Amino acid sequence: MAAARYDVEKGGRRREEEEEAAAAAVAQYPQREGEREWVPWIVPAIVVANVVVFAVAMYVNNCPSSPRGGRRGGGGACVAGFLRRFSFQPFSENPLLGPSSATLQKLGALVWNKVVHEHQGWRLVTCIWLHAGVVHLLANMLSLVLIGLRLEQQFGYMRVGIIYLVSGVGGSVLSSLFIRNSISVGASGALFGLLGAMLSELFTNWTIYTNKAAALVTLLIVIAINLAIGILPHVDNFAHIGGFLTGFLLGFIFLMRPHYGWMQRYVLPSSVKYTTKKYLAYQWILLAVASVLAVIG
């Protein structure tokens, strides 16, 4: 009886010691239990930059000074004339409450002829920061906040910033290949790049998600709805698709995280075995394939 009682007490003490050791490890390495959470600043900075660029575009546009916008009455008058220089073009010209097409072209809108024949490749980047109107700007910035803040909290400003910018350029490239008779502006390609990165992040970090099916279905529904919106008139769906494909590939490259067993190694009891590999084989395979496709693209 005494020996049995000793074994029970010894086993209980051992479990208590393991629990205390795990708690001490968590206290010593608080971020290792799960993952580091970043304080987002690049996404708010991008929002502010887009708003500032739009204000500059409206200042340069100066609707009252144009012959058409200066007319009073009828469909040719500037919208919200009390804003004076910052008033919007007539609804007949721009129903989104924004500047004229000429102003957007002057400031760097994506124009196929200027990119291809006049070698103004910089327009592939500048068009990402321009918006056709207040409605366009609000829709994109709201989407950026909802999508981008979560990604930046999990992966940091550097990776999210790279995916945003490169996806925007990828969307511009595909748009310039198929749209030749109209200009293109907006951050939609970059936003779809973040959506694509979220999807590839789900695939490459599959082991850390508890409710995998729900996460996948929800994300696919969001992507499908946004792509469906691109069917509407005057919406550049080629920029959406180009940005999405670019972000999807970059997500495999930049958003790979250690698998679940590795991240929980400091809190698991010593009796539980875990693999010593930080990343699993399929994660490296996806990264390699995505890298090759990204370079080719």
Side-chain angles (χ1 to χ4, degrees), residues 14-261:
R14 183 177 300 171
R15 283 193 297 270
E16 292 177 358
E17 291 173 357
E18 290 177 351
E19 292 174 358
E20 292 175 358
V26 173
Q28 185 177 1
Y29 308 102
Q31 301 297 341
R32 293 182 178 181
E33 181 182 6
E35 58 188 27
R36 176 178 179 178
E37 184 169 316
W38 299 73
V39 177
W41 66 267
I42 192 68
V43 169
I46 292 174
V47 172
V48 172
N50 277 276
V51 173
V52 170
V53 170
F54 182 76
V56 171
M58 295 309 305
Y59 180 84
V60 173
N61 185 67
N62 194 11
C63 179
S65 67
S66 63
R68 184 176 181 182
R71 294 204 305 265
R72 295 184 179 276
C78 297
V79 179
F82 63 90
L83 296 176
R84 299 191 178 184
R85 189 179 183 113
F86 293 92
S87 58
F88 310 115
Q89 290 297 116
F91 279 119
S92 58
E93 184 177 345
N94 187 346
L96 298 178
L97 300 176
S100 65
S101 297
T103 299
L104 292 174
Q105 288 191 48
K106 183 190 301 184
L107 295 178
L110 183 62
V111 184
W112 177 83
N113 183 62
K114 293 184 179 294
V115 172
V116 176
H117 297 295
E118 300 182 22
H119 307 292
Q120 297 180 6
W122 48 268
R123 290 180 178 270
L124 297 172
V125 178
T126 55
C127 69
I128 304 171
W129 304 94
L130 295 170
H131 287 84
V134 173
V135 177
H136 190 200
L137 177 67
L138 290 178
N140 277 350
M141 294 303 99
L142 179 61
S143 300
L144 176 59
V145 170
L146 294 176
I147 298 170
L149 287 179
R150 171 189 171 276
L151 282 176
E152 188 177 355
Q153 285 175 343
Q154 292 185 351
F155 298 100
Y157 68 91
M158 182 67 72
R159 287 183 277 187
V160 171
I162 291 174
I163 293 174
Y164 180 88
L165 292 176
V166 177
S167 297
V169 174
S172 300
V173 169
L174 195 64
S175 178
S176 64
L177 291 176
F178 291 95
I179 298 180
R180 302 187 178 186
N181 299 321
S182 61
I183 68 173
S184 178
V185 294
S188 299
L191 292 174
F192 269 82
L194 295 181
L195 278 176
M198 288 178 67
L199 183 60
S200 57
E201 187 270 331
L202 176 61
F203 289 145
T204 194
N205 300 320
W206 189 255
T207 61
I208 68 175
Y209 285 90
T210 55
N211 198 343
K212 300 176 175 58
L216 179 60
V217 171
T218 302
L219 187 54
L220 289 177
I221 291 175
V222 172
I223 294 171
I225 292 174
N226 282 274
L227 287 175
I229 294 175
I231 303 176
L232 299 175
H234 308 298
V235 177
D236 186 2
N237 216 12
F238 290 107
H240 295 174
I241 297 173
F244 178 82
L245 293 176
T246 304
F248 183 72
L249 294 177
L250 294 178
F252 288 117
I253 300 171
F254 291 109
L255 304 185
M256 186 172 70
R257 290 190 289 185
H259 63 89
Y260 178 80

Side-chain angles (χ1 to χ4, degrees), residues 32 204-205 207-208 256-266 274-284:
R32 293 182 178 181
T204 194
N205 300 320
T207 61
I208 68 175
M256 186 172 70
R257 290 190 289 185
H259 63 89
Y260 178 80
W262 172 269
M263 290 198 303
Q264 297 296 319
R265 67 194 185 281
Y266 288 98
Y274 60 89
T275 177
T276 57
K277 295 181 180 179
K278 190 174 183 179
Y279 301 101
L280 301 178
Y282 83 92
Q283 292 179 293
W284 290 113

